[in-house]
């Protein structure tokens, strides 16, 4: 489908950011001038509380403008990654961002050059008082903040540091093409990064196998290039961690959110300790599908047979809106506004970025990119991304700019809570028993895809960074073989782990997000706990949850989640989620 063929109501409205490309160009020029003027504060930040506040205001103004420029360029680029105009805008604004980062690089070292007591005294000046937590966090980073000269150099390397992920993104979304998949009747199916999972969910096993093999054959063709990009990404992470005197790349990534490394470690351990339950689910899948050998191209297709459950986008809108009713009328009405005010870019079109996300700025709508298919999975994706968007909307509507974003550690909680509420709504309202079984199967698939799969990714990411930190090289053979071994461990004895799966790591863009993936699993676990509390305790739990959504970065993420009712410094939420998985496996086993 071409973008021109999509009705306007199904395209996002980016006018909150810029009315036209010409407005963007004018702001681009303005920001460059503002950045030059920011230099006047160099050497003066601690002159007085008034000067410090003035400098912070100027920095925030510049950062907000910069963020709007970056976001608009990237959203336009993602509409059609082949478009040279938006490729150019995205590249130019990345260069500008690196340039401005270098101009502002004096800010933190200059403040950290003074004792905290001096800065703390300035906080008695009322306009500065809201920055107390920000300054406390800045001084927490003091051992990892370098001299002004080195900070300036590091800022100038950021553009180069984004090369691996940028090249990977262009390869994945713009340049990589796949041979069409053929079903059991000889019918041709378009195979893309966007359509692959839909084909894996097909009832037609011939189609699934053909799509699986052709999909990974294409990745095999590019595997040496992608392995080189992956090694460059890992080395970049290690370089920055060592420059900033962290013990490892993982410790550096988690330090930013004040999350101890014990959190992902206990996640991986808890999941590894409970793989037998996952093996039981695979055994159930093998029995119900009636196959002699269960292959990896059989693990996505629903195991509840003879159930047609298509869901149009309009139907998905209605069900998601009803499902989040426990969160209150205000939350529900904002979701309705998301549809009418065109927060969402709905359908897959030629050249469009694959996958789904929620993205925006402090000054804009929280935009949602989808590639909607008429199935249950896409309905849950809609609920998921709107959870992100509502988290952003409530945070920005409550917090000042300095705390107007939230850490990646809590980012997946709101999205997954929406999915849990949708699952509960469907189980309570569906009258067709087969559809209920289908939803139970889908729920198990959420566990498989989020707790087990993302933990496997996290283990892979941990291992490949440690391998390089210990002097190893990330060759294509090493990456593929290690990933294949992890699949064998996680899927267990009742699954034929097809050799082609060793290329799967190469299709996962989150591998370029610097230790992001484990947070899908911890976030899912927290969401299961919080959704259960809201459905059983009612309004008190809802109030705590809405406070969580409105907290932004006003406190550390571990503390914010603990207040909401999920203590992630213990393994209780993860173990609780794994117990729910076990119960649902047993329930579906009995029903089938």
């Amino acid at each position: 489908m071409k973008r021109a063929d999509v009705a306007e109501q199904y395209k996002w409205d980016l006018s909150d950011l810029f009315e036209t490309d010409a407005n963007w160009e004018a702001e681009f020029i303005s920001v460059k001038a503002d950045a030059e003027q920011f230099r006047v504060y160099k050497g003066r930040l601690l002159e007085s509380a008034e000067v410090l506040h003035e400098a912070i205001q100027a920095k925030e103004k510049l950062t907000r403008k910069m963020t709007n420029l970056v976001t608009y360029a990237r959203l336009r680029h993602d509409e059609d990654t082949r478009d040279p105009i938006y490729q150019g805008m995205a590249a130019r604004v990345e260069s500008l961002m690196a340039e401005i980062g270098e101009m502002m690089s004096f800010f933190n070292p200059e403040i950290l050059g003074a004792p905290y007591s001096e800065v703390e005294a300035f906080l008695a000046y009322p306009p500065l008082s809201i920055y107390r937590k920000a300054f406390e966090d800045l001084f927490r980073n003091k051992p990892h903040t370098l001299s002004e000269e080195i900070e300036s150099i590091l800022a100038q390397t950021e553009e180069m540091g984004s090369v691996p992920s940028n090249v990977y993104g262009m390869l994945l979304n713009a340049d990589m093409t796949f041979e069409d998949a053929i079903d059991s009747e000889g019918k041709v199916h378009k195979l893309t990064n966007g359509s692959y999972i839909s084909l894996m969910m097909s009832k037609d096993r011939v189609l699934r196998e053909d799509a699986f093999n052709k999909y990974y054959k294409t990745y095999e063709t590019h595997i040496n290039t992608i392995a080189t990009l992956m090694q460059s990404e890992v080395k970049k992470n290690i370089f920055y961690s060592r420059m900033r005197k962290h013990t490892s790349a993982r410790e550096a990534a988690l330090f930013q959110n004040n999350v101890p490394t014990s959190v992902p470690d206990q996640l991986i351990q808890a999941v590894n300790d409970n793989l037998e339950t996952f093996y039981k689910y695979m055994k159930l899948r093998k029995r119900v599908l009636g196959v002699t050998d269960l292959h990896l191209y059989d693990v996505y297709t629903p195991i509840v047979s003879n159930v047609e459950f298509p869901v149009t986008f309009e139907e998905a809108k209605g069900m998601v809106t009803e499902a989040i009713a426990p969160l209150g009328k205000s939350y529900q009405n904002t979701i309705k506004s998301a549809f009418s005010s065109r927060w969402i870019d709905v359908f897959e079109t030629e050249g469009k970025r694959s996958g789904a996300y929620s993205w925006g700025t402090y000054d804009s709508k929280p935009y949602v990119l989808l590639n909607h298919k008429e199935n249950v999975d896409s309905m849950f994706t809609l609920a998921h991304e709107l959870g992100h968007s509502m988290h952003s909307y409530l945070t920005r509507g409550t917090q000042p700019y300095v705390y107007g974003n939230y850490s990646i550690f809590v980012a997946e909680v709101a999205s997954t809570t929406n999915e849990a509420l949708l699952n509960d709504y469907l189980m309570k309202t569906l009258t067709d028993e087969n559809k209920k079984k289908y939803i139970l199967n889908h729920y198990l698939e959420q566990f498989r895809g989020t707790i087990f799969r993302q933990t496997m990714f996290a283990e892979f990411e941990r291992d490949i960074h440690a391998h390089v930190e210990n002097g190893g090289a990330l060759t294509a053979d090493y990456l593929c073989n290690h990933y294949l071994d992890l699949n064998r461990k996680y899927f267990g004895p009742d699954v034929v782990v097809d050799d082609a799966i060793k290329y799967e790591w190469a299709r996962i863009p989150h591998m370029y997000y610097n230790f992001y993936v484990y947070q899908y699993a911890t976030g899912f676990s927290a969401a299961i706990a919080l959704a259960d509390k809201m459905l059983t305790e009612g309004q008190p739990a809802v109030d705590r949850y809405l406070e969580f959504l409105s907290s932004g970065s006003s406190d550390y993420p571990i503390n914010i989640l603990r207040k909401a009712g999920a203590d992630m410094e213990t393994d209780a939420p993860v173990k609780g989620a794994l117990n729910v998985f076990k119960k649902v496996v047993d329930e579906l086993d009995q029903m089938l």
Side-chain angles (χ1 to χ4, degrees):
M1 182 191 299
K2 296 184 184 299
R3 188 167 183 82
D5 298 330
V6 178
E8 288 298 302
Q9 71 193 79
Y10 298 119
K11 298 177 186 175
W12 51 29
D13 173 15
L14 301 185
S15 61
D16 276 8
L17 289 165
F18 298 98
E19 288 283 351
T20 65
D21 291 356
N23 295 135
W24 184 92
E25 292 287 353
E27 185 77 328
F28 186 90
I29 294 169
S30 169
V31 165
K32 292 195 75 168
D34 290 347
E36 288 293 338
Q37 293 174 10
F38 187 74
R39 294 182 191 272
V40 302
Y41 295 106
K42 186 175 180 180
R44 298 182 54 220
L45 293 179
L46 299 177
E47 220 173 75
S48 68
E50 290 80 4
V51 170
L52 178 58
H53 180 251
E54 185 181 303
I56 291 172
Q57 293 293 101
K59 185 172 183 280
E60 287 186 352
K61 180 182 177 182
L62 185 57
T63 304
R64 284 171 77 161
K65 285 185 174 184
M66 193 68 233
T67 304
N68 289 337
L69 285 171
V70 170
T71 303
Y72 180 84
R74 294 302 306 183
L75 294 179
R76 285 297 189 204
H77 171 265
D78 288 351
E79 292 175 358
D80 186 349
T81 58
R82 306 166 302 177
D83 190 322
I85 293 175
Y86 296 116
Q87 288 178 12
M89 285 171 64
R92 287 167 56 209
V93 79
E94 275 196 16
S95 296
L96 179 61
M97 189 162 54
E99 182 181 335
I100 289 175
E102 187 276 327
M103 288 178 183
M104 295 193 297
S105 62
F106 71 87
F107 195 92
N108 288 351
E110 189 171 317
I111 291 176
L112 291 173
Y116 180 68
S117 58
E118 183 178 339
V119 176
E120 187 176 32
F122 284 174
L123 299 180
Y125 178 57
L128 280 177
S129 62
I130 67 167
Y131 296 98
R132 179 174 295 276
K133 190 263 179 180
F135 281 121
E136 288 174 353
D137 202 36
L138 176 61
F139 275 82
R140 188 177 68 88
N141 279 272
K142 187 170 184 175
H144 309 288
T145 303
L146 309 173
S147 69
E148 180 185 333
E149 181 181 7
I150 297 176
E151 287 290 343
S152 175
I153 293 170
L154 288 180
Q156 292 178 65
T157 68
E158 287 181 3
E159 186 177 6
M160 290 185 295
S162 66
V163 168
S165 61
N166 287 344
V167 173
Y168 174 78
M170 291 301 294
L171 178 63
L172 198 69
N173 295 302
D175 295 341
M176 193 177 285
T177 58
F178 303 87
E179 187 180 349
D180 291 337
I182 310 298
D183 66 21
S184 58
E185 297 179 352
K187 184 180 177 181
V188 173
H189 297 259
K190 183 75 172 174
L191 178 59
T192 66
N193 280 311
S195 70
Y196 173 69
I197 296 300
S198 291
L199 295 177
M200 287 297 96
M201 294 177 70
S202 169
K203 294 179 181 178
D204 188 331
R205 197 180 194 209
V206 171
L207 174 60
R208 297 199 306 268
E209 181 178 6
D210 194 55
F212 179 88
N213 288 325
K214 287 176 176 173
Y215 188 70
Y216 287 116
K217 184 67 177 176
T218 301
Y219 278 95
E220 181 184 8
T221 302
H222 298 283
I223 201 64
N224 289 306
T225 297
I226 300 175
T228 302
L229 293 173
M230 189 77 265
Q231 174 158 262
S232 298
E233 178 71 12
V234 170
K235 284 188 172 182
K236 176 200 75 174
N237 294 339
I238 294 170
F239 166 75
Y240 284 122
S241 72
R242 288 176 175 170
M243 286 297 295
R244 296 200 176 280
K245 304 173 185 176
H246 289 283
T247 58
S248 68
R250 188 173 68 142
E251 188 267 333
L254 272 61
F255 178 85
Q256 298 309 310
N257 294 314
N258 205 18
V259 174
T261 55
S262 60
V263 172
D265 283 341
Q266 68 190 11
L267 165 72
I268 292 170
Q269 188 61 52
V271 170
N272 273 264
D273 289 345
N274 285 272
L275 285 175
E276 286 296 329
T277 305
F278 187 64
Y279 299 163
K280 183 175 181 180
Y281 174 47
M282 290 296 104
K283 192 171 184 178
L284 169 63
R285 173 172 283 278
K286 180 178 178 180
R287 173 175 68 80
V288 175
L289 289 178
V291 294
T292 304
D293 295 310
L294 184 73
H295 286 260
L296 289 176
Y297 49 78
D298 298 319
V299 301
Y300 283 94
T301 188
I303 59 176
V304 179
S305 59
N306 301 318
V307 178
E308 294 295 331
F309 205 158
V311 184
T312 67
F313 182 69
E314 292 299 322
E315 290 169 336
K317 281 168 53 176
M319 285 188 272
V320 169
T321 303
E322 290 300 316
I324 48 86
L327 298 178
K329 284 291 183 184
S330 178
Y331 189 103
Q332 200 174 35
N333 288 337
T334 306
I335 290 289
K336 291 176 182 177
S337 177
F339 297 124
S340 61
S341 301
R342 294 172 54 197
W343 294 13
I344 308 170
D345 206 78
V346 178
F347 297 112
E348 182 180 12
T349 53
E350 294 177 7
K352 185 177 176 180
R353 185 191 189 278
S354 62
Y357 62 68
S358 172
W359 193 10
T361 75
Y362 193 81
D363 303 300
S364 78
K365 302 178 179 75
Y367 293 103
V368 175
L369 179 138
L370 300 175
N371 284 276
H372 187 83
K373 304 290 188 297
E374 293 194 353
N375 57 37
V376 168
D377 194 56
S378 283
M379 175 171 61
F380 274 87
T381 297
L382 174 64
H384 182 101
E385 298 305 334
L386 285 173
H388 284 308
S389 291
M390 286 301 297
H391 196 175
S392 299
Y393 179 85
L394 290 172
T395 285
R396 291 164 187 164
T398 306
Q399 297 295 330
Y401 180 76
V402 64
Y403 306 126
N405 214 331
Y406 45 84
S407 77
I408 59 174
F409 184 75
V410 298
E412 295 305 327
V413 175
S415 53
T416 310
T417 298
N418 268 16
E419 290 193 70
L421 292 175
L422 177 57
N423 185 81
D424 181 75
Y425 168 80
L426 291 171
M427 289 303 295
K428 288 176 178 175
T429 58
L430 290 173
T431 56
D432 186 322
E433 285 299 311
N434 283 328
K435 285 187 176 180
K436 286 188 174 184
K437 295 174 189 176
Y438 186 96
I439 293 301
L440 281 179
N441 179 201
H442 187 272
Y443 197 29
L444 291 175
E445 283 299 289
Q446 288 178 293
F447 277 93
R448 180 188 67 80
T450 309
I451 288 193
F452 293 99
R453 181 173 169 81
Q454 299 299 329
T455 301
M456 183 178 73
F457 290 167
E459 191 169 345
F460 178 72
E461 189 176 25
R462 180 196 67 184
D463 292 351
I464 64 176
H465 279 79
H467 182 68
V468 175
E469 286 169 333
N470 291 326
L474 295 185
T475 63
D477 281 347
Y478 172 82
L479 288 161
C480 292
N481 289 334
H482 188 57
Y483 191 79
L484 185 62
D485 288 342
L486 284 174
N487 271 268
R488 287 171 176 151
K489 178 175 75 170
Y490 273 75
F491 279 98
D494 288 289
V495 179
V496 176
V497 177
D498 304 87
D499 191 66
I501 202 64
K502 67 186 180 183
Y503 304 112
E504 186 186 41
W505 65 268
R507 81 170 186 89
I508 310 300
H510 290 75
M511 293 298 175
Y512 296 82
Y513 287 17
N514 193 16
F515 292 96
Y516 188 105
V517 291
Y518 85 93
Q519 294 159 119
Y520 281 108
T522 54
F524 186 93
S525 301
I528 295 298
L530 296 178
D532 180 66
K533 289 177 187 295
M534 286 188 284
L535 292 169
T536 56
E537 295 178 22
Q539 197 60 46
V542 171
D543 291 342
R544 291 196 303 269
Y545 179 70
L546 293 176
E547 182 181 353
F548 156 72
L549 293 183
S550 303
S551 295
S553 56
S554 60
D555 198 352
Y556 293 117
I558 288 281
N559 297 337
I560 291 172
L561 266 180
R562 187 182 294 114
K563 292 174 191 174
D567 187 352
M568 302 310 297
E569 286 197 275
T570 73
D571 60 5
V574 176
K575 286 185 174 178
L578 291 168
N579 284 335
V580 171
F581 176 76
K582 183 178 186 300
K583 290 176 184 177
V584 178
V585 170
D586 291 341
E587 183 179 358
L588 189 59
D589 193 9
Q590 291 173 6
M591 293 174 73
L592 295 174

